[in-house]
Amino acid sequence: MHRAWQRRALRGTEAGDRWGMRPVAVRSLKHCKQDIWYDGSNRKARMIVQQVINGLMLGGIYVLIAVAFTLAVGVLKFLNFSIPGTFMIGGMMSWAMLKVGWHWSVSFGAAFLCAGFVGLLVYWLTYRPAKNSDPEVPLVSSLGFLVLLENIAIIYLGSDQQSFPQVIGDFNMRIGPVVLGGAQLISLIISLGVVFGLSIFLKKSNAGRRIRAIAESRDTAALLGVNVGALVPQLFVFNALFTALGGILFAISYLQVSPFMGENLGFKGVSAMIVGGMGSIWGAIIGGLLIGLVEVLSIQSLGSDFVNICVYGLLLLLLIVRPEGLLGKPAARDKL
């Protein structure tokens, strides 16, 4: 009788634990607390991993813009602010053509055609007349071109944000606890594939060598027989097509377009270029992915009001600590 009372009294106490006499109810409660703690930790870890994936997918769009700025700065020594405008044309023109019932392939083709023509116009009206003047002159002219393109889009397509039709089927891939959006994943693969292809093109092809020769020294390239006058307009058109692809991929991935979409993303593309190192394509890739990560993780941790503070705060911090960027070197512009 005494032993039975003693066992009941020891239940749930330290002595009971030491003698292995804890009742099942007490043991289960503790395990439940542990399970809740572990489950909470795992959920938080899964959420962080998911946001990292989302940040990399958004960063793929920034990579395209950053590489376009890198080509403009590295080869032409010209910070072309019309690049966000051609990014906007890619998204808005595709949306307008899809809205009137055109097939997506024709709509995207029309967007590329329009962006390429705008790129050529930028060359004719901003860069060519001022190529022998101070670098600030074509820079200001290209900024005026951006404002002009935005206002034309507002007049003919409206200033409101528009919903982009779903071109790619709504499918997701699940790898363990992480969900990959199909459209975003395809956009990331296309972005990185195009940039890798561009890097190989610049290093292996004859046209790439001519572009690198212009980046090294325009006068020397002309002496070596490079037709600089014919190659520079092609670079403008290529840059416009490159950024229009970014606008289309952004519209496909996030299903929204607006006349100001290029302006919003363009400044982050410039930030990605500076963070990675001006003139370095690989730096632009790293900078674009890093900016995407910082943006998504800051929304997750601090809220959307802190996005610009975190992104441009990172840019400011990096400029203080390492002004040349992560992969930038004093002669980085010459190593496209």
Side-chain angles (χ1 to χ4, degrees):
M1 185 67 181
H2 177 73
R3 287 181 177 275
W5 174 86
Q6 190 179 43
R7 288 193 182 97
R8 285 197 297 273
L10 289 171
R11 286 174 180 171
T13 64
E14 291 184 0
D17 289 346
R18 188 169 59 249
W19 293 354
M21 296 173 61
R22 285 181 301 166
V24 175
V26 175
R27 192 183 295 271
S28 298
L29 179 62
K30 188 170 184 178
H31 285 181
C32 284
K33 290 180 179 178
Q34 290 176 346
D35 290 343
I36 291 172
W37 188 84
Y38 285 130
D39 187 57
S41 300
N42 290 335
R43 190 164 53 244
K44 191 173 182 180
R46 287 197 299 269
M47 188 177 296
I48 292 174
V49 172
Q50 182 67 59
Q51 296 307 322
V52 168
I53 297 295
N54 294 340
L56 291 176
M57 291 180 176
L58 176 61
I61 304 294
Y62 293 147
V63 165
L64 288 178
I65 305 174
V67 169
F69 275 114
T70 297
L71 281 176
V73 173
V75 179
L76 305 172
K77 312 293 186 290
F78 169 43
L79 187 55
N80 184 1
F81 273 115
S82 71
I83 286 175
T86 50
F87 179 88
M88 179 271 296
I89 288 174
M92 288 296 288
M93 182 61 73
S94 301
W95 167 79
M97 296 298 104
L98 288 171
K99 187 180 178 183
V100 297
W102 288 19
H103 189 263
W104 62 267
S105 58
V106 181
S107 302
F108 293 167
F112 280 125
L113 192 63
C114 184
F117 179 68
V118 169
L120 207 54
L121 279 181
V122 173
Y123 166 74
W124 280 335
L125 301 178
T126 64
Y127 184 79
R128 187 179 177 185
K131 61 182 180 182
N132 295 322
S133 61
D134 292 333
E136 292 80 9
V137 176
L139 186 150
V140 175
S141 302
S142 66
L143 187 59
F145 230 99
L146 170 62
V147 176
L148 181 68
L149 292 173
E150 286 181 345
N151 282 276
I152 290 175
I154 290 172
I155 291 171
Y156 289 101
L157 302 175
S159 60
D160 296 333
Q161 182 171 290
Q162 306 292 342
S163 297
F164 196 83
Q166 195 166 31
V167 177
I168 299 176
D170 186 15
F171 71 95
N172 295 323
M173 295 178 61
R174 183 176 289 275
I175 301 176
V178 178
V179 179
L180 302 177
Q184 290 91 343
L185 181 61
I186 291 173
S187 297
L188 178 63
I189 293 172
I190 292 176
S191 301
L192 296 182
V194 168
V195 174
F196 289 146
L198 173 65
S199 177
I200 294 172
F201 170 79
L202 289 173
K203 289 185 178 178
K204 303 292 183 182
S205 69
N206 289 330
R209 293 188 187 96
R210 289 197 293 270
I211 293 172
R212 289 162 55 200
I214 294 175
E216 182 81 24
S217 170
R218 180 171 302 192
D219 296 334
T220 306
L223 289 175
L224 292 174
V226 176
N227 190 348
V228 179
L231 196 56
V232 170
Q234 295 174 22
L235 274 174
F236 271 85
V237 174
F238 177 80
N239 242 2
L241 298 178
F242 208 73
T243 47
L245 174 64
I248 293 172
L249 293 179
F250 178 84
I252 292 174
S253 301
Y254 299 99
L255 302 179
Q256 59 182 12
V257 292
S258 81
F260 307 105
M261 59 185 286
E263 184 179 331
N264 295 334
L265 275 78
F267 286 116
K268 289 179 182 161
V270 174
S271 302
M273 176 191 67
I274 296 173
V275 167
M278 294 182 70
S280 169
I281 288 181
W282 290 102
I285 295 174
I286 294 174
L289 296 177
L290 186 59
I291 291 292
L293 278 175
V294 170
E295 180 171 341
V296 172
L297 291 177
S298 61
I299 292 175
Q300 172 66 28
S301 306
L302 304 171
S304 57
D305 293 337
F306 289 84
V307 170
N308 290 334
I309 295 175
C310 293
V311 171
Y312 296 110
L314 171 68
L315 175 63
L316 180 61
L317 180 65
L318 190 73
L319 287 176
I320 294 172
V321 176
R322 189 175 170 82
E324 65 271 23
L326 293 175
L327 299 186
K329 296 177 182 177
R333 291 185 182 187
D334 301 333
K335 294 183 178 180
L336 273 174

